[in-house]
Amino acid sequence: MSDRAYTQTFSALAKLRIPAAAKEPAIVIPAVILGILALIAILAPWLGTIDPALLDPTQRNKLPGFVGQITLADGAKAPFTFHMGTDNLGRDIYSRVVYGARISLVIGAMVAIVATALGLAIGMVAGYVRWSDGLIMRFMDGLMAIPPILLAIALVSLSRAGLTAVIVAIAIPEIPRVVRLVRSIVLSIREEPYVEAAVTAGTPTPVLLFRHVLPNCIAPLIVQATFVAASAILVESILSFLGVGIPPEVPSWGNIMSAGRQYFRIFPHNMLYPGVCIAVTVLCVNVLGDALRDRLDPKLRKRV
Amino acid sequence: MFGYILRRLVSTIPVMFIVALIVFLMLRLTPSDPAAIIAGDNANAQQVEMIRQQLGLDKPLLVQLWVWLSSLLHGNLGESFFFKKSVTSLIADRIEPTLALAAFTLVIAVAIAVPLGIFAAMRRGSLLDRIVMGFSVMGFSVPAFVIGYALIYVFAIKLQWLPVQGYSRIANGFEPWLRSLILPSLTLAVIYVALLARMTRTSLLEVLGEDYIRTAYSRGLTPLQVLVRHALPNAAVPIITVVGLGVALLIGGVVVTESVFAIPGIGRLTVDAVLARDYPTIQAIILLFSFVYVMINLIIDVSYTLLDPRIRY
Amino acid sequence: MSDILVVDRLTVELPPGSDRRYAVEDVSFSVAPGEIVCVVGESGSGKSVSSFTVMGLLPREVKPVAGSIRLEGEDLMNASEKRYRELRGSRMAMIFQEPMTALNPVKTIGDQIEEVLKVHTQMSQAERRARVMETIGQVNLPDPDQIVRAYPHQLSGGQRQRAMIAGALALDPALLIADEPTTALDVTTQAQILQLIAELRARRGTGVLFITHDFGVVAEIAHRVVVMQKGKVVEQGLADDVLNRPQHPYTQMLIGAVPSLTPADRKPLDGAPVVLHTKNLRKVYSSGGLFQKKRVVEAVKDVSIDIRRGETVGIVGESGSGKSTVARCVARLIDPTAGEVAIDGGDYAKLPERALRDHRKRMQIVFQDPYRSLNPRRTVAQSMIEAPVNFGMSQAEAMSRAGDLLDLVHLPRQSLDRFPHQFSGGQRQRICIARALMPQPEVLIADEAVSALDVSVQAQVLKLFDEIREKFSLALLFITHDLRVAAQICDRIVVMQKGAVVEQGPTKDVFAAPKHPYTQALFAAAPGKQIGNRI
């Protein structure tokens, strides 16, 4: 990308005020849907759900809308409507789907934060500390040569599956792309006359990076972080689906689908609901990312 | 030219070395004890110790690295714990379905995506453009296994046009082979088409903004002539670059797709190996796929010299 | 003979939200066969939009809304898209400012010239080939056999522009539109291209519409001149009348602002001590590594320059001469490979960054592009106080100094709280000068600091440089490609070619009697020598 594009990016970011953004449907609609999803995730226990891990062998493979019984904590039985049916272990799919939003959103957000933060730090070093550049970038090339899903699968297989392990395993393959982005920005910005003016003004390198270079990375990083989040949610669902991700009793959308595979021909609803949830969530994040990029990246916007 | 190819070939050695190093370090630098994990939860201390010795994890790190690299250089990828045979023969048994699936997908994806991207760019802002871009963002958002099951549900279960699952070897006849590949290839192609159509459009739009396009118009060319003679030759390099980079997505997709369609290929083997904690097999598969990825991108790099006279060799 | 091109009361509307409603308004001019008409104006005058409208190459959002354009009597405003295409390349052709980007990088020169013939004629391949070779010969490109097979990146800038001209003239159009065709070229190349255009016009009777901002170029080739300002024609007439007896105040101002090639009188500086001293300065760039062929470029070889207190020394040269590399070595934005750079005897050529910081306040630099020289997200005050605060001045003291310096560069003190985008290019360059003065430097480096400015603004900024040099007794190192600018501001000039100094001496002496053949060629190539001498 050209130098000018990045200098302009900030002014574009400054223009991204709430009222202006609020008029753009490509930003508002996905943001609202994601907000609702976040609310659902937070309020999961109060949305008519039961314990998503509760097994009941008597109520296996029920169709959506089935009215059955559940055993409460005190041992009493109560009637309960299974809006989305039950899986092959008799767990309530509706409850699992609602709780599953927590896993997907947490993973999306955490991976985006971890990958962009590490990528930013490494990319700044590679871009400004000359001797480290070759070393870091060769290592990143090696990391990029391993297909991301494969690397994530290998990484989770090595540790006892859990949320943290999955987050780390998904974040590591995302880092090289962030590093490359940040490095390319740093390399173009350091050639800017205003950065050179700061050099002749005797500004120490750390201050220079923080004051003049870092702000140029923010807008592109926000965009990149959205795409990382989308990809993370997808990869988590794939890992869970393949049975190598989060432990199967934890309700994640991928896990629900994984459990539903076996009886797919007879009970496709096991896969329908979580599948739609994943697709809608990732779609929202991607659309949001696209809209933000069009807004923040004047180079793409300029092409009338 | 020959010297250039040789030089580029040599330049992939450091990358492959780093891949090997990463794969090596992954096993050794994990916070938990890999031997214990590989042995599984029910193993006793003796079994764990045995696995440790088998993997050579009891030796110093540098010795381990040396042993591992020298056996790699001799083409020895080790012995599978789970399948009890050499990883090389394990992979050889499974390569045909994966190769067929990937090649088939690559061809249909390029054949669909590039024209779509060109049309979208030429009719920028039109309904067609929006449909293509909408499809593209959807393709990025729906996981391959969801698409796979949706296709199975419609075409195999409801309409019964195509087999639900499984792979028919090409030796058993061309038609069953082709039929067994259609749904998996479509599943795998979606994300690739999404990526490629979008990047084709972007690259072409970028080229269409160049000065020499204006020159071409100033000489009286029609929009079609400008596209064919000036825009496409210049957009070719970025487009095939994406074809190469997209192979990483394709490889990831193979793992999922083979699992959904019960195709006995390397992708399926990956999942089996991970579930069985069969580490030698996992290592070998990562190395193999990375090698393929690096080689494909090397071929694409070399092809730049044919497409763009500015790239010297 | 009747006119080839008649533009009558043309008005072109800009899309809503632009800074003005019309790009050009009520513009009329004409071009006769064999005539060169120069449309001249500063940036934003609408001169390029006029030419693009004639070619029908405007972006979709910009539309001609009134007036008429006639090419050889044919109405273009109502011509069909198909008819327009037939005319483009055959009856009217265009060449552009940047010959590198205007040529398709992946096609050979021969193919690109031949394309016009393919599109517009029924010639056989052999006929086309013959015509291509003939045209290449006519634009004086050497070795046509090789040129047809060459790609644009294998040619020099001047050769590329010749190839563009060959493509434009292959079908002998009645009208050639040249949009700043020599602006991106070095002065010696420019002279050759101007000569070529003039020759071809004379030989073929082509009418030329020549867009430029440079009055030197106008004086060199124009028969008639159209002066534009903010979308309107303010004056037009014969070149001799407009250049020597301008009627409109704007034209008078523009021509008056063109620096003269006759060096100005400068006060002698006898006895002033040497402040900046470079000795055998060298800079070598090497690229390539383990897997690539190694390439070594010697950008600067053995450059020794002394500048005394209160003296302005100019380095002039064409692109690739190494003049900017010298400036960047002196400012220590890059590390010299060998040699000395010293201020008041303190050599800092080899100092590591940490030790260098104390020296940095003694030399400051002003860059070419005023739009990129100020951090867009920091206020003028923040940009200005950065250096002095780094060097230990208190915030408050730095602020008051910043205010004083803004007074000095003729900007209001309120500017301190504003952001760069609220200022014009000339104002920004003043801010950059003020910023450079903040740490009280002894040496000021101006790296093409007036080259991006319109001529009227350029004159003011040049004057400012001279004022501050005198006021602070600065040693001013002035890098420029423009001989006119050098003549006006420099006490001494250093002429560089291919990394080496070929000649240096007092400005007056060098201009009066250049000794080195390269210097002589450079001066000979300067267009419109008489311009700027009267006023």
Side-chain angles (χ1 to χ4, degrees):
Chain A
M1 246 176 251
S2 75
D3 307 349
R4 183 58 70 81
Y6 278 109
T7 28
Q8 285 169 357
T9 304
F10 176 74
S11 35
L13 187 63
K15 278 180 218 136
L16 190 76
R17 304 233 168 76
I18 304 295
K23 285 182 201 135
E24 200 161 316
I27 291 180
V28 177
I29 296 170
V32 167
I33 297 177
L34 289 173
I36 294 171
L37 268 170
L39 272 181
I40 289 175
I42 294 166
L43 301 176
W46 297 280
L47 293 174
T49 57
I50 55 172
D51 179 359
L54 187 70
L55 304 170
D56 189 343
T58 64
Q59 320 238 14
R60 285 185 307 193
N61 291 327
K62 299 299 183 202
L63 290 175
F66 172 79
V67 182
Q69 278 189 326
I70 50 162
T71 314
L72 298 177
D74 55 7
K77 306 243 178 207
F80 186 78
T81 309
F82 297 96
H83 299 289
M84 297 182 183
T86 62
D87 65 9
N88 60 331
L89 298 173
R91 293 175 291 201
D92 177 33
I93 293 180
Y94 168 71
S95 302
R96 289 179 74 72
V97 167
V98 169
Y99 276 92
R102 291 186 165 183
I103 302 289
S104 283
L105 294 182
V106 165
I107 288 196
M110 288 308 294
V111 170
I113 290 169
V114 170
T116 38
L118 286 176
L120 175 66
I122 300 171
M124 292 269 253
V125 172
Y128 225 95
V129 185
R130 278 170 198 226
W131 61 265
S132 76
D133 188 29
L135 213 62
I136 292 176
M137 291 324 285
R138 288 298 79 71
F139 188 78
M140 291 299 148
D141 284 349
L143 215 49
M144 293 236 289
I146 307 176
I149 292 182
L150 216 55
L151 182 55
I153 290 176
L155 286 170
V156 274
S157 74
L158 267 178
S159 42
R160 284 173 208 287
L163 194 58
T164 317
V166 170
I167 288 171
V168 172
I170 299 175
I172 287 177
E174 299 284 354
I175 291 174
R177 273 188 287 171
V178 182
V179 171
R180 282 196 155 193
L181 174 72
V182 172
R183 173 178 175 270
S184 74
I185 298 171
V186 173
L187 288 182
S188 72
I189 291 294
R190 62 181 289 168
E191 304 283 314
E192 284 291 310
Y194 71 79
V195 175
E196 298 194 323
V199 172
T200 61
T203 306
T205 305
V207 180
L208 189 94
L209 282 174
F210 189 76
R211 192 181 282 169
H212 297 286
V213 179
L214 181 67
N216 290 289
C217 301
I218 290 172
L221 270 186
I222 290 174
V223 175
Q224 185 69 20
T226 357
F227 293 132
V228 170
S231 143
I233 296 171
L234 269 186
V235 174
E236 184 279 324
S237 75
I238 288 171
L239 293 183
S240 295
F241 174 79
L242 295 174
V244 299
I246 305 223
E249 66 277 9
V250 178
S252 88
W253 291 335
N255 275 340
I256 306 170
M257 294 193 69
S258 182
R261 284 174 82 177
Q262 218 177 336
Y263 302 96
F264 169 68
R265 283 178 196 224
I266 322 163
F267 304 110
H269 65 271
N270 277 351
M271 309 195 69
L272 176 69
Y273 299 112
V276 170
C277 285
I278 298 170
V280 169
T281 310
V282 180
L283 187 64
C284 284
V285 182
N286 274 329
V287 170
L288 189 65
D290 275 354
L292 285 175
R293 188 197 44 207
D294 291 351
R295 213 156 222 289
L296 297 178
D297 187 341
K299 204 196 167 207
L300 288 170
R301 226 158 62 107
K302 212 170 48 186
R303 290 192 205 116
V304 183
Chain B
M1 185 75 188
F2 179 74
Y4 172 74
I5 294 174
L6 198 72
R7 229 176 15 251
R8 290 307 319 260
L9 213 55
V10 171
S11 74
T12 62
I13 292 175
V15 176
M16 283 316 297
F17 171 75
I18 288 165
V19 171
L21 196 67
I22 291 169
V23 169
F24 171 82
L25 289 176
M26 245 175 359
L27 186 64
R28 276 81 184 173
L29 296 185
T30 46
S32 45
D33 178 0
I37 289 175
I38 290 164
D41 293 338
N42 304 323
N44 58 32
Q46 204 184 345
Q47 284 169 309
V48 171
E49 195 49 44
M50 211 181 77
I51 286 175
R52 185 166 297 140
Q53 276 176 21
Q54 227 174 331
L55 284 175
L57 291 174
D58 49 344
K59 301 193 187 83
L61 207 60
L62 277 177
V63 176
Q64 290 182 42
L65 181 64
W66 175 248
V67 170
W68 148 252
L69 285 179
S70 62
S71 66
L72 274 187
L73 286 179
H74 290 98
N76 176 11
L77 293 171
E79 183 94 0
S80 159
F81 294 159
F82 183 71
F83 298 95
K84 307 288 181 217
K85 57 201 265 194
S86 92
V87 175
T88 320
S89 69
L90 201 57
I91 286 175
D93 290 346
R94 309 260 193 145
I95 201 130
E96 185 205 304
T98 304
L99 213 57
L101 176 62
F104 198 64
T105 306
L106 196 66
V107 172
I108 57 173
V110 172
I112 295 172
V114 173
L116 276 184
I118 293 172
F119 283 128
M122 292 305 284
R123 298 268 172 273
R124 184 161 198 232
S126 68
L127 185 67
L128 180 81
D129 181 23
R130 283 185 213 169
I131 292 172
V132 171
M133 293 306 284
F135 169 80
S136 162
V137 70
M138 300 247 286
F140 279 123
S141 307
V142 185
F145 57 91
V146 174
I147 295 166
Y149 277 107
L151 289 175
I152 291 177
Y153 188 76
V154 176
F155 293 101
I157 296 178
K158 287 289 159 193
L159 297 171
Q160 304 205 330
W161 288 352
L162 292 161
V164 175
Q165 281 178 328
Y167 172 75
S168 167
R169 286 190 178 259
I170 196 163
N172 301 336
F174 182 73
E175 206 203 315
W177 173 77
L178 196 65
R179 284 167 58 86
S180 73
L181 277 182
I182 290 176
L183 288 185
S185 291
L186 284 178
T187 305
L188 189 51
V190 169
I191 191 165
Y192 204 57
V193 170
L195 173 78
L196 204 53
R198 170 181 282 238
M199 292 314 291
T200 302
R201 175 183 180 271
T202 309
S203 311
L204 203 55
L205 283 177
E206 191 148 342
V207 168
L208 287 173
E210 296 285 348
D211 286 356
Y212 51 79
I213 298 296
R214 188 179 59 189
T215 307
Y217 278 116
S218 83
R219 295 193 174 159
L221 273 69
T222 63
L224 187 67
Q225 287 171 324
V226 171
L227 175 76
V228 174
R229 295 184 190 190
H230 294 279
L232 285 181
N234 279 285
V237 166
I239 292 172
I240 67 160
T241 305
V242 176
V243 171
L245 295 177
V247 168
L249 281 181
L250 204 61
I251 292 171
V254 160
V255 177
V256 180
T257 311
E258 290 189 354
S259 189
V260 169
F261 288 91
I263 295 172
I266 298 175
R268 188 64 217 249
L269 178 66
T270 314
V271 179
D272 292 342
V274 167
L275 292 174
R277 310 264 183 219
D278 186 355
Y279 213 75
T281 310
I282 301 176
Q283 285 184 326
I285 291 171
I286 293 182
L287 282 176
L288 175 75
F289 275 143
S290 305
F291 182 72
V292 169
Y293 178 70
V294 168
M295 283 303 132
I296 288 177
N297 282 287
L298 172 73
I299 292 167
I300 282 174
D301 260 21
V302 172
S303 75
Y304 291 164
T305 55
L306 304 175
L307 294 165
D308 190 337
R310 283 169 297 178
I311 297 168
R312 274 184 291 186
Y313 46 78
Chain C
M1 228 191 288
S2 66
D3 287 339
I4 293 168
L5 176 74
V6 181
V7 174
D8 189 28
R9 282 166 293 162
L10 178 71
T11 298
V12 177
E13 195 172 46
L14 287 168
S18 309
D19 57 341
R20 61 179 197 241
R21 180 151 179 218
Y22 299 113
V24 302
E25 201 177 341
D26 216 15
V27 163
S28 305
F29 57 82
S30 62
V31 181
E35 184 183 43
I36 300 181
V37 175
C38 276
V39 180
V40 58
E42 297 187 291
S43 47
S45 61
K47 57 189 191 297
S48 281
V49 172
S50 313
S51 64
F52 279 88
T53 314
V54 173
M55 280 304 279
L57 290 177
L58 287 176
R60 244 181 286 164
E61 307 75 38
V62 185
K63 287 189 191 71
V65 288
S68 74
I69 303 170
R70 290 182 173 275
L71 179 74
E72 298 182 291
E74 185 175 347
D75 179 17
L76 291 186
M77 292 278 273
N78 298 310
S80 69
E81 189 48 45
K82 181 165 173 291
R83 179 63 190 151
Y84 233 124
R85 271 204 299 274
E86 284 167 8
L87 294 173
R88 280 199 287 256
S90 63
R91 300 311 301 153
M92 57 181 176
M94 188 158 181
I95 58 175
F96 302 92
Q97 176 171 348
E98 196 32 91
M100 181 70 224
T101 57
L103 286 165
N104 187 336
V106 306
K107 298 221 152 191
T108 62
I109 298 295
D111 283 349
Q112 296 190 57
I113 298 173
E114 194 185 339
E115 188 165 45
V116 197
L117 307 176
K118 257 190 197 159
V119 171
H120 293 287
T121 71
Q122 306 294 319
M123 287 184 193
S124 71
Q125 188 171 352
E127 286 172 321
R128 288 199 305 259
R129 281 284 131 134
R131 176 69 76 89
V132 169
M133 297 305 268
E134 187 194 342
T135 328
I136 289 180
Q138 282 170 354
V139 296
N140 305 332
L141 277 168
D143 204 352
D145 290 318
Q146 246 186 340
I147 294 283
V148 284
R149 283 194 306 268
Y151 289 97
H153 71 276
Q154 294 164 325
L155 307 186
S156 70
Q159 289 176 327
R160 280 181 215 130
Q161 197 60 291
R162 283 172 197 273
M164 273 299 288
I165 294 172
L169 296 183
L171 280 173
D172 227 340
L175 175 70
L176 175 70
I177 299 180
D179 184 14
E180 302 259 11
T182 59
T183 307
L185 303 175
D186 280 326
V187 59
T188 45
T189 318
Q190 166 172 285
Q192 293 161 10
I193 297 289
L194 290 179
Q195 199 192 351
L196 175 68
I197 292 176
E199 262 173 35
L200 290 170
R201 166 212 63 88
R203 204 182 315 152
R204 301 167 168 232
T206 318
V208 180
L209 183 63
F210 196 105
I211 316 296
T212 183
H213 68 283
D214 186 338
F215 270 101
V217 171
V218 176
E220 202 66 30
I221 59 164
H223 298 114
R224 282 194 301 121
V225 181
V226 178
V227 184
M228 287 187 71
Q229 182 195 17
K230 291 181 186 155
K232 292 187 179 132
V233 173
V234 295
E235 179 166 1
Q236 59 177 309
L238 292 174
D240 178 52
D241 291 338
V242 175
L243 292 175
N244 298 318
R245 291 168 294 280
Q247 300 301 311
H248 193 278
Y250 180 71
T251 317
Q252 291 166 352
M253 186 276 290
L254 276 186
I255 295 176
V258 178
S260 166
L261 268 172
T262 310
D265 285 320
R266 310 279 302 178
K267 274 186 228 154
L269 287 156
D270 299 323
V274 168
V275 181
L276 179 76
H277 166 78
T278 77
K279 193 175 167 200
N280 298 337
L281 190 65
R282 275 184 86 222
K283 177 67 190 175
V284 177
Y285 286 104
S286 53
S287 63
L290 218 46
F291 304 108
Q292 281 167 337
K293 282 178 197 161
K294 204 161 169 101
R295 295 194 178 89
V296 175
V297 180
E298 203 174 4
V300 169
K301 348 181 181 175
D302 289 333
V303 170
S304 304
I305 297 172
D306 286 337
I307 308 183
R308 292 183 290 174
R309 195 172 296 288
E311 185 182 36
T312 303
V313 171
I315 304 184
V316 298
E318 299 182 301
S319 54
S321 63
K323 57 189 192 302
S324 277
T325 311
V326 172
R328 297 168 69 78
C329 283
V330 171
R332 272 301 299 272
L333 286 167
I334 49 177
D335 301 333
T337 310
E340 286 172 32
V341 183
I343 292 178
D344 289 342
D347 182 5
Y348 58 86
K350 292 282 180 211
L351 289 183
E353 186 60 39
R354 202 171 288 273
L356 188 64
R357 278 195 58 208
D358 290 337
H359 290 265
R360 288 224 182 262
K361 62 172 170 250
R362 311 175 75 181
M363 65 282 191
Q364 290 290 304
I365 184 164
V366 178
F367 298 97
Q368 173 171 7
D369 186 346
Y371 292 90
R372 289 164 55 189
S373 296
L374 293 164
N375 189 333
R377 69 206 67 184
R378 294 177 73 75
T379 62
V380 170
Q382 284 175 321
S383 286
M384 286 184 72
I385 66 171
E386 185 165 13
V389 169
N390 281 336
F391 297 123
M393 195 185 275
S394 76
Q395 196 103 5
E397 202 182 335
M399 283 300 274
S400 89
R401 182 170 165 76
D404 294 345
L405 282 172
L406 282 183
D407 284 345
L408 191 76
V409 300
H410 317 296
L411 283 172
R413 273 174 187 255
Q414 298 92 293
S415 309
L416 282 175
D417 300 323
R418 305 228 175 100
F419 284 93
H421 69 263
Q422 294 167 291
F423 297 91
S424 68
Q427 289 172 324
R428 287 188 211 205
Q429 208 60 320
R430 290 170 186 280
I431 295 170
C432 290
I433 293 169
R435 172 179 64 183
L437 295 173
M438 283 297 286
Q440 296 171 289
E442 291 158 69
V443 175
L444 185 62
I445 304 155
D447 186 4
E448 297 277 10
V450 296
S451 305
L453 305 174
D454 276 328
V455 63
S456 55
V457 181
Q458 184 182 60
Q460 297 160 11
V461 174
L462 273 180
K463 193 160 153 268
L464 178 62
F465 267 114
D466 221 32
E467 282 167 19
I468 57 154
R469 175 200 49 86
E470 185 148 8
K471 184 169 166 67
F472 297 105
S473 300
L474 291 170
L476 183 55
L477 178 62
F478 203 95
I479 314 295
T480 184
H481 70 283
D482 188 335
L483 292 172
R484 295 173 180 277
V485 167
Q488 292 316 303
I489 196 164
C490 300
D491 296 302
R492 280 193 303 123
I493 64 167
V494 175
V495 183
M496 283 185 73
Q497 183 197 19
K498 293 179 186 156
V501 173
V502 295
E503 180 163 1
Q504 62 174 311
T507 310
K508 275 214 145 109
D509 300 353
V510 177
F511 271 75
K515 291 191 185 69
H516 192 275
Y518 177 73
T519 319
Q520 290 163 356
L522 209 57
F523 286 180
K529 295 188 185 54
Q530 76 279 20
I531 279 286
N533 278 355
R534 296 160 313 278
I535 305 172

